[in-house]
Amino acid sequence: QETQENGYYEIQVDGLYSDGYDPLHEPDGNRVYARQNNYVINTELQLDSDFVHYRSIVPRLITESYRFRLPSSILQGMSNRVYNDDTTFFFNFGEIGRYNGVATRSYEATQGNLQGMGLQHQLSNQWDVALQLWNTQDPEFADTHQSFAGALNYQQNPFEQNHQLNLLSDSNGKTGLWYDAFLKIGRWEHRAGAQHLPPDLLWTDVPINNDNQGIYWRGQRSSYRWFWNLGTEIGQNNLDNDPDFPGYISTATFGNLSWRFRHQTQFGGGINLYTNSADSGTATHDSHRYFFKTFVSHIFPIGRTYIEPRWEIYNQHPEQSQKYGIKWDQDWEIKYLDKLNSSSQYAISKEQEEDLELRIYFEKYLVWDLKINGSLQQYYSKYPDIGITNGSSFSLGLGWQFLNNWLMNLNADYNTGNFESDDGSETKIKGTQVLFSISYNIDTGKQPVLYGIDTGEPG
């Protein structure tokens, strides 16, 4: 419900009961999510809140950067954001848990509690700063700890230059830093940065990427007919030289080129190079991987055709392997179908003598607001000295908007799998799943029409 005086309100309630779903853990329970946005406290301040079951919300500068992101936690409690045009305060507290289920979800408490407060402030038109403090009590997979995160952002022009520096420190004495930059020079857009994330660096109850340091660069250039995308990076793990853990110095380099020859025809290709050099711990041998591909795309009267040959070389002591493959993706222009797509891939290598995968997908809108869609997938793999694996999957869905606010969906999946070993034994599996859902949706009210002069105040 959206109101003119008190902002926007939303509530969502899920109930889940399962029987025979998982012999170890059947997800039963409920989830209640309530939210309000844009409540006007006074002429300067507004309030947003999340209640009961929600994901933790912290300053955007803290969690989002180009190469590294900090995850959120699922809580049972309350979150508040109090803000004006320049400053936002964040408050989170609740019991740590997780979500179960697929079509419908339920909340299940795991272990521990989480409390946090944060701040994001615009210092000027170019400078922004953000801070976040977490207290994580008795989480499931770590000890009680505190974490502090900070971010400083400089943005001269969002389309030409941006710099962001992030810091994360925990109560165990670990401190990580990462830096991201964006710079546009002519037709080229450059992104570069560096990171240092020590082992066992803690955020909340959720594990984060750590035990690595390195630098990276990305470059992109586009014109009417040409598109370039290049990049390289170097990184190192096992920063504390753990003798029982493999440590490597790794590099990754890639380049992609696309050329539009005509309006209906496009050519391109790419190369990826990966290296791992043994550096510490149990690492003893280097490895290299090279990946090459090229493609052609053309729009025929029957639809768009995309063909991509590929070649992969993997060199790891004491052997070298190669893999050759080709991919064909086809969008078909069929009179009686709204969408028809087929995709096929075939590859051969030393590890897999043959590897074949076929897939077809279609959509069709019928009378009386009926929609039908389906897919068929087939795979076949032959492994030397092991055996043959093959199987198929068929899915069919039906949707019906039988009244203005009522929607009905029916989906059925059928899967088969078969493994034939070289010794003559055979293993077969089959599975069927049917999901039926019916929903009622109603919208009330309408967006307010504003008249007069904007005073710059909320409400």
Side-chain angles (χ1 to χ4, degrees):
Q1 176 71 36
E2 186 172 4
T3 67
Q4 201 164 1
E5 296 85 4
N6 299 315
Y8 172 84
Y9 294 85
E10 176 186 357
I11 184 169
Q12 177 178 334
V13 180
D14 295 339
L16 177 62
Y17 169 76
S18 62
D19 184 20
Y21 179 80
D22 186 339
L24 298 178
H25 178 73
E26 294 181 356
D28 296 334
N30 60 77
R31 179 182 64 158
V32 179
Y33 172 63
R35 178 179 63 172
Q36 66 81 205
N37 285 344
N38 306 126
Y39 178 80
V40 178
I41 300 175
N42 55 40
T43 58
E44 297 293 333
L45 296 176
Q46 290 180 263
L47 172 68
D48 296 346
S49 299
D50 294 325
F51 303 96
V52 195
H53 304 135
Y54 68 97
R55 286 188 176 273
S56 59
I57 301 176
V58 301
R60 177 184 55 82
L61 289 180
I62 296 293
T63 58
E64 297 184 12
S65 63
Y66 179 71
R67 281 297 308 279
F68 185 67
R69 294 197 173 191
L70 294 170
S72 59
S73 297
I74 297 173
L75 300 175
Q76 178 175 257
M78 183 170 69
S79 169
N80 299 114
R81 297 171 297 285
V82 181
Y83 56 93
N84 59 19
D85 291 339
D86 301 322
T87 307
T88 305
F89 292 94
F90 297 80
F91 303 94
N92 290 268
F93 59 89
E95 185 180 29
I96 300 171
R98 60 171 170 253
Y99 287 145
N100 293 316
V102 180
T104 302
R105 290 188 171 186
S106 67
Y107 172 86
E108 179 188 14
T110 54
Q111 181 178 316
N113 296 279
L114 189 63
Q115 304 91 30
M117 58 186 303
L119 166 70
Q120 182 160 319
H121 178 64
Q122 185 177 12
L123 299 172
S124 66
N125 291 333
Q126 288 81 33
W127 291 93
D128 293 273
V129 63
L131 307 171
Q132 177 67 34
L133 177 63
W134 282 117
N135 178 43
T136 309
Q137 295 178 316
D138 194 27
E140 188 173 12
F141 299 109
D143 297 327
T144 297
H145 63 274
Q146 292 76 43
S147 299
F148 170 78
L152 183 65
N153 181 271
Y154 172 74
Q155 183 173 268
Q156 185 181 36
N157 185 311
F159 303 104
E160 294 183 358
Q161 187 176 170
N162 184 80
H163 302 270
Q164 182 170 325
L165 177 65
N166 284 68
L167 175 145
L168 174 60
S169 180
D170 62 35
S171 55
N172 295 333
K174 304 284 186 176
T175 299
L177 291 167
W178 60 98
Y179 166 74
D180 297 280
F182 169 78
L183 188 63
K184 185 174 182 180
I185 304 176
R187 289 185 176 270
W188 280 94
E189 295 181 355
H190 301 274
R191 291 188 180 273
Q195 78 275 358
H196 171 76
L197 302 164
D200 304 319
L201 180 62
L202 298 173
W203 168 237
T204 57
D205 65 301
V206 186
I208 64 171
N209 183 20
N210 56 43
D211 193 15
N212 68 83
Q213 63 182 2
I215 58 175
Y216 75 91
W217 168 78
R218 299 280 187 273
Q220 179 177 302
R221 185 184 188 275
S222 60
S223 63
Y224 177 72
R225 293 186 180 273
W226 294 89
F227 175 78
W228 298 80
N229 188 18
L230 311 171
T232 186
E233 64 181 73
I234 180 171
Q236 178 187 21
N237 72 324
N238 197 21
L239 302 185
D240 57 354
N241 292 317
D242 186 343
D244 299 322
F245 188 80
Y248 293 92
I249 295 178
S250 305
T251 66
T253 304
F254 70 89
N256 295 295
L257 171 65
S258 177
W259 173 45
R260 185 173 293 279
F261 174 66
R262 293 284 188 270
H263 176 69
Q264 293 139 329
T265 308
Q266 190 173 355
F267 299 94
I271 180 173
N272 293 66
L273 310 175
Y274 304 95
T275 68
N276 285 307
S277 302
D279 179 59
S280 62
T282 59
T284 56
H285 297 95
D286 301 342
S287 64
H288 308 274
R289 182 185 173 198
Y290 311 96
F291 180 79
F292 307 91
K293 71 175 182 180
T294 184
F295 75 86
V296 58
S297 175
H298 184 76
I299 300 176
F300 293 97
I302 60 171
R304 185 190 65 89
T305 301
Y306 177 91
I307 297 177
E308 179 188 282
R310 56 181 66 183
W311 176 33
E312 185 176 354
I313 303 173
Y314 187 71
N315 185 6
Q316 186 176 22
H317 181 82
E319 295 182 353
Q320 182 187 81
S321 64
Q322 298 188 32
K323 185 176 183 179
Y324 305 90
I326 188 169
K327 176 183 178 181
W328 172 32
D329 190 82
Q330 181 72 47
D331 289 324
W332 301 92
E333 292 290 338
I334 303 297
K335 182 178 180 181
Y336 299 102
L337 290 175
D338 294 287
K339 183 176 183 179
L340 179 63
N341 173 267
S342 65
S343 179
S344 58
Q345 298 185 64
Y346 180 76
I348 56 175
S349 65
K350 185 178 180 180
E351 292 77 15
Q352 287 180 281
E353 293 182 1
E354 289 182 285
D355 185 21
L356 174 65
E357 183 176 340
L358 306 173
R359 185 179 184 272
I360 298 176
Y361 175 82
F362 76 92
E363 285 183 4
K364 175 63 177 177
Y365 290 91
L366 308 173
V367 295
W368 305 315
D369 292 321
L370 278 169
K371 175 188 174 182
I372 186 171
N373 63 78
S375 65
L376 175 64
Q377 186 170 347
Q378 182 76 31
Y379 65 90
Y380 173 88
S381 298
K382 184 177 181 181
Y383 301 89
D385 304 323
I386 298 177
I388 296 174
T389 298
N390 62 80
S392 61
S393 174
F394 176 72
S395 177
L396 187 64
L398 180 66
W400 183 23
Q401 186 86 38
F402 59 96
L403 289 174
N404 288 337
N405 305 108
W406 291 89
L407 178 64
M408 184 185 300
N409 280 291
L410 178 65
N411 293 277
D413 299 299
Y414 177 72
N415 303 284
T416 65
N418 184 41
F419 174 70
E420 302 175 12
S421 65
D422 283 353
D423 60 11
S425 61
E426 188 174 7
T427 303
K428 294 184 177 182
I429 58 173
K430 292 182 179 180
T432 304
Q433 176 176 292
V434 178
L435 175 65
F436 172 78
S437 66
I438 185 170
S439 60
Y440 175 76
N441 301 277
I442 186 170
D443 294 322
T444 63
K446 61 181 180 180
Q447 289 276 20
V449 179
L450 303 180
Y451 297 95
I453 300 173
D454 185 2
T455 64
E457 298 178 353

